[in-house]
């Protein structure tokens, strides 16, 4: 049944209807009230911000005070703080010191410098690589990680198609150098000497640099970074790119960057002359790392020129030095404290013997996942008479007998760590070796996942810190 419209019951008007129908009138009333309050106030010269302080109390705080408050908040709230308002977004950007750029256009547009004006650490490697971000195929390497397109997998070739032109990279470095004069750490790939020269001229405080796809010509730009202390050079990465760093580049580097403290050479070529130049010019060098090096035979004798070298590290090296030369010409590093070998081929007896001879002053020896380290190879470590700490991990060919032979010759040994060395057996521990264990200040004994110390050795306190723990009978 239908009723006439005039007989319908009239409903009371809602506040939302009144607000929508008379919003202009209400706004006019509110504006008139604010103007009256301003005209009647004796302090008419004050800002309008206190009128809106009931909406956002942080408007009463200065930028300096709000920055101090934001800096005390945990890092997990950084993204949330940036979403509050534009003011907080700008202030939060001023607190950022380290960033990794993924979009090169963001750097060239100038918005990057405006958004983060106080950066001192910038990583540009990911932005220099052209890769589809939506791809589900992700290629990772010890030095490079990137997405790949499935269409290029059949005939994939890195270099031209997956890297920005060096002119574009240089433009980005120019923009970065002009906007971040306080830059201290930089990671970049594929730059030319002109782009690096602009960074060296504008960023006088640059102390740490990682340069991938480096060559001798590019090192002319790095040599202008007179305050550089930490440098990582990547010349050749198999399957990705092939650049040559030879003695020419190493000599240019040594003459320009004389304040180097840490130097890492990855996939670099060279010989005795290049390493000698670094040792003689960079007298503050304390840490030297060779990763997958391609040095000519006889280069190891030049390490003796690094008189203040404290740490020598080899990583993923297929060989150390195939022909090191006569022992009387090798010399040694008198200040060396640590020798670190990781994932290296140690099958060549002559090369390994020469390495331990050069490092005879080492107090710490760390060997991790190296191939070919059997008893005969490890026996050359007896040349190092001052060893206080030995760490072995993943040395599957070494036996208990070979370990005992070496560590008995080290009279100053205080710390021993053996992990995942499957041919070192608990049952083969001799009484002399067990007695030696009791004198150690630090002992980690896990040669096998099934390794359990015999009860006779547990009673004498193996692994306990301090002197002897024999029980009186």
């Amino acid at each position: 049944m239908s009723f006439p419209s005039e007989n319908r019951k009239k409903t009371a008007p809602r506040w939302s209807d009144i607000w929508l129908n008379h919003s202009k009138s209400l706004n006019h009333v509110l504006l008139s009230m604010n103007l009256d309050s301003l005209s009647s106030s004796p302090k008419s010269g004050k800002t309008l911000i206190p009128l809106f302080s009931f909406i956002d109390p942080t408007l009463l705080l200065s930028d300096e005070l709000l920055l101090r408050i934001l800096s005390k908040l945990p890092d997990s709230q950084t993204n949330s703080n940036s979403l509050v308002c534009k003011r907080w977004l700008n202030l939060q950007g001023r607190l950022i010191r380290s960033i990794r750029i993924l979009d090169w256009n963001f750097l060239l547009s100038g918005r990057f410098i405006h958004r983060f004006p106080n950066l001192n650490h910038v990583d540009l490697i990911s932005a220099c690589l052209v890769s589809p971000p939506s791809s589900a195929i992700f290629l990772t390497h010890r030095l490079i990680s990137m997405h790949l397109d499935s269409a290029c997998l059949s005939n994939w070739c890195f270099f031209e198609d997956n890297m920005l032109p060096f002119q574009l990279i240089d433009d980005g470095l120019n923009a970065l150098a002009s906007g971040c004069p306080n830059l201290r750490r930089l990671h970049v790939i594929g730059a030319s000497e002109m782009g690096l020269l602009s960074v060296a001229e504008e960023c006088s405080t640059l102390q740490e640099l990682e340069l991938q796809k480096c060559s001798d010509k590019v090192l002319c730009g790095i040599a202008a970074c007179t305050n550089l202390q930490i440098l990582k050079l990547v010349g050749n990465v198999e399957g990705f790119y092939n650049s040559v760093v030879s003695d020419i580049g190493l000599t240019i580097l040594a003459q320009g960057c004389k304040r180097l403290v840490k130097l890492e050479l990855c996939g670099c070529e060279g010989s005795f002359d290049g390493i000698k130049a670094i040792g003689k010019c960079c007298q503050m060098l304390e840490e030297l790392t060779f990763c997958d090096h391609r040095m000519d035979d006889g280069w190891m004798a030049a390490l003796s020129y690094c008189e203040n070298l404290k740490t020598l590290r080899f990583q993923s090296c297929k060989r150390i030095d195939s022909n090191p030369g006569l022992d009387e010409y090798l010399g040694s590093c008198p200040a060396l404290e640590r020798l670190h070998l990781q994932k290296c081929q140690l099958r060549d007896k002559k090369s390994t013997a020469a390495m331990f001879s050069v490092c005879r002053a080492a107090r710490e020896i760390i060997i991790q996942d190296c191939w070919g380290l059997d008893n005969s190879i490890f026996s050359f470590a007896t040349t190092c008479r001052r060893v206080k700490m030995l760490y072995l991990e993943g040395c599957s060919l070494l036996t208990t007998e070979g370990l005992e032979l070496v560590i008995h010759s080290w009279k100053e040994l205080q710390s021993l760590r053996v992990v995942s060395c499957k041919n070192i057996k608990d049952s083969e521990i001799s009484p002399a070796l067990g007695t030696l264990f009791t004198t150690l200040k630090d002992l980690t004994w896990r040669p096998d996942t099934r390794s359990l110390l015999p009860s006779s050795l547990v009673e004498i306190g193996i692994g306990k810190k301090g002197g002897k723990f024999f029980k009186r009978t």
Side-chain angles (χ1 to χ4, degrees):
M1 177 179 291
S2 61
F3 297 92
S5 59
E6 59 271 10
N7 296 330
R8 293 180 183 176
K9 186 177 180 180
K10 295 184 179 181
T11 59
R14 294 178 296 178
W15 280 106
S16 59
D17 297 333
I18 296 175
W19 179 266
L20 294 175
N21 293 333
H22 304 282
S23 59
K24 293 184 178 180
S25 301
L26 292 174
N27 289 336
H28 178 71
V29 172
L30 292 175
L31 180 60
S32 300
M33 294 174 61
N34 288 334
L35 292 176
D36 293 340
S37 62
L38 286 175
S39 60
S40 61
S41 175
K43 300 179 181 180
S44 58
K46 287 192 174 182
T47 179
L48 294 177
I49 290 179
L51 296 176
F52 302 97
S53 61
F54 67 94
I55 300 176
D56 185 4
T58 61
L59 293 176
L60 299 174
L61 303 177
S62 63
D63 288 350
E64 291 73 15
L65 185 57
L66 188 55
L67 273 174
R68 292 181 60 184
I69 296 174
L70 293 176
S71 64
K72 303 296 182 181
L73 298 178
D75 296 337
S76 58
Q77 296 186 9
T78 300
N79 294 334
S80 301
N81 296 337
S82 302
L83 299 176
V84 174
C85 60
K86 288 186 177 181
R87 185 192 180 201
W88 283 41
L89 176 66
N90 295 330
L91 293 178
Q92 191 66 47
R94 291 163 60 179
L95 294 174
I96 302 299
R97 297 292 184 269
S98 176
I99 196 171
R100 182 167 65 98
I101 300 180
L102 303 178
D103 186 2
W104 196 258
N105 292 326
F106 181 50
L107 174 60
L108 295 178
S109 65
R111 294 181 289 117
F112 168 74
I113 304 300
H114 178 73
R115 177 73 173 81
F116 307 102
N118 298 324
L119 290 173
N120 54 33
H121 177 201
V122 179
D123 187 349
L124 301 175
I125 293 181
S126 298
C128 295
L129 304 177
V130 181
S131 59
S134 59
S135 175
I137 304 174
F138 186 71
L139 175 65
T140 182
H141 187 266
R142 178 171 32 85
L143 299 170
I144 299 177
S145 298
M146 61 181 300
H147 290 271
L148 294 180
D149 190 357
S150 58
C152 67
L153 290 180
S154 58
N155 189 20
W156 180 75
C157 181
F158 185 86
F159 186 61
E160 294 293 343
D161 298 335
N162 299 89
M163 187 179 297
L164 296 177
F166 71 89
Q167 299 91 343
L168 197 61
I169 297 177
D170 290 345
D171 293 340
L173 290 178
N174 291 331
L176 179 65
S178 60
C180 299
N182 297 324
L183 192 65
R184 294 188 178 183
R185 300 175 61 188
L186 176 63
H187 305 258
V188 66
I189 180 174
S192 71
E193 67 276 11
M194 298 306 298
L196 293 172
L197 188 60
S198 63
V199 174
E201 293 175 350
E202 299 292 339
C203 306
S204 58
T205 59
L206 186 66
Q207 297 180 354
E208 183 174 349
L209 175 64
E210 176 183 345
L211 179 60
Q212 296 194 27
K213 198 177 179 297
C214 181
S215 63
D216 291 338
K217 189 177 181 180
V218 174
L219 287 175
C220 295
I222 299 179
C225 302
T226 56
N227 293 322
L228 202 61
Q229 297 182 6
I230 302 175
L231 177 61
K232 180 178 181 179
L233 298 179
V234 183
N236 181 30
V237 178
E238 187 175 355
F240 288 87
Y241 52 81
N242 184 11
S243 299
V244 178
V245 176
S246 64
D247 287 338
I248 299 175
L250 294 178
T251 304
I252 295 174
L253 172 66
Q255 293 177 352
C257 303
K258 297 184 178 182
R259 297 185 179 182
L260 282 180
V261 178
K262 295 182 180 180
L263 175 62
E264 183 173 352
L265 303 175
C266 301
C268 296
E269 301 178 6
S271 65
F272 175 89
D273 295 333
I275 302 302
K276 177 183 177 181
I278 291 177
K280 296 189 69 174
C281 296
C282 305
Q283 298 183 2
M284 299 173 61
L285 188 65
E286 296 182 356
E287 183 174 326
L288 181 59
T289 301
F290 295 92
C291 181
D292 191 22
H293 75 80
R294 290 160 171 76
M295 297 287 174
D296 295 339
D297 295 346
W299 70 270
M300 198 185 306
L303 290 175
S304 59
Y305 290 93
C306 303
E307 296 180 354
N308 295 317
L309 190 65
K310 295 182 179 180
T311 300
L312 179 61
R313 183 178 290 108
F314 294 94
Q315 294 179 347
S316 303
C317 295
K318 299 180 178 63
R319 59 183 179 85
I320 304 299
D321 191 347
S322 301
N323 188 12
L326 300 177
D327 295 341
E328 52 265 27
Y329 298 114
L330 281 177
S332 64
C333 301
L336 192 68
E337 297 179 357
R338 173 179 294 184
L339 173 63
H340 190 175
L341 303 170
Q342 185 177 12
K343 297 182 179 179
C344 296
Q345 298 278 1
L346 300 178
R347 292 184 172 90
D348 189 353
K349 293 184 178 181
K350 188 176 182 180
S351 175
T352 307
M355 178 190 63
F356 282 117
S357 178
V358 172
C359 303
R360 64 174 68 102
R363 295 181 178 272
E364 298 180 4
I365 296 180
I366 302 173
I367 305 178
Q368 295 176 293
D369 302 319
C370 291
W371 296 275
L373 187 71
D374 55 13
N375 292 347
S376 60
I377 295 292
F378 189 59
S379 63
F380 295 118
T382 56
T383 308
C384 308
R385 299 290 184 178
R386 303 169 60 186
V387 176
K388 292 186 177 182
M389 192 274 284
L390 174 64
Y391 178 44
L392 298 174
E393 181 180 355
C395 302
S396 58
L397 299 180
L398 187 63
T399 65
T400 311
E401 180 183 0
L403 174 65
E404 182 176 0
L405 175 66
V406 173
I407 63 177
H408 271 304
S409 65
W410 294 339
K411 304 303 181 183
E412 301 180 18
L413 187 65
Q414 298 177 359
S415 176
L416 176 62
R417 300 179 182 181
V418 181
V419 179
S420 301
C421 302
K422 63 180 182 180
N423 277 332
I424 297 180
K425 307 294 184 180
D426 295 340
S427 58
E428 299 175 357
I429 298 178
S430 64
L433 184 59
T435 303
L436 175 63
F437 285 169
T438 63
T439 64
L440 299 177
K441 293 183 178 180
D442 181 25
L443 175 63
T444 301
W445 187 262
R446 296 196 305 271
D448 198 330
T449 55
R450 297 169 296 178
S451 177
L452 295 175
L453 291 174
S455 58
S456 59
L457 296 178
V458 174
E459 291 179 357
I460 63 176
I462 287 184
K464 294 183 179 180
K465 192 173 183 179
K468 301 180 180 180
F469 292 87
F470 291 104
K471 290 185 178 181
R472 294 183 178 180
T473 55

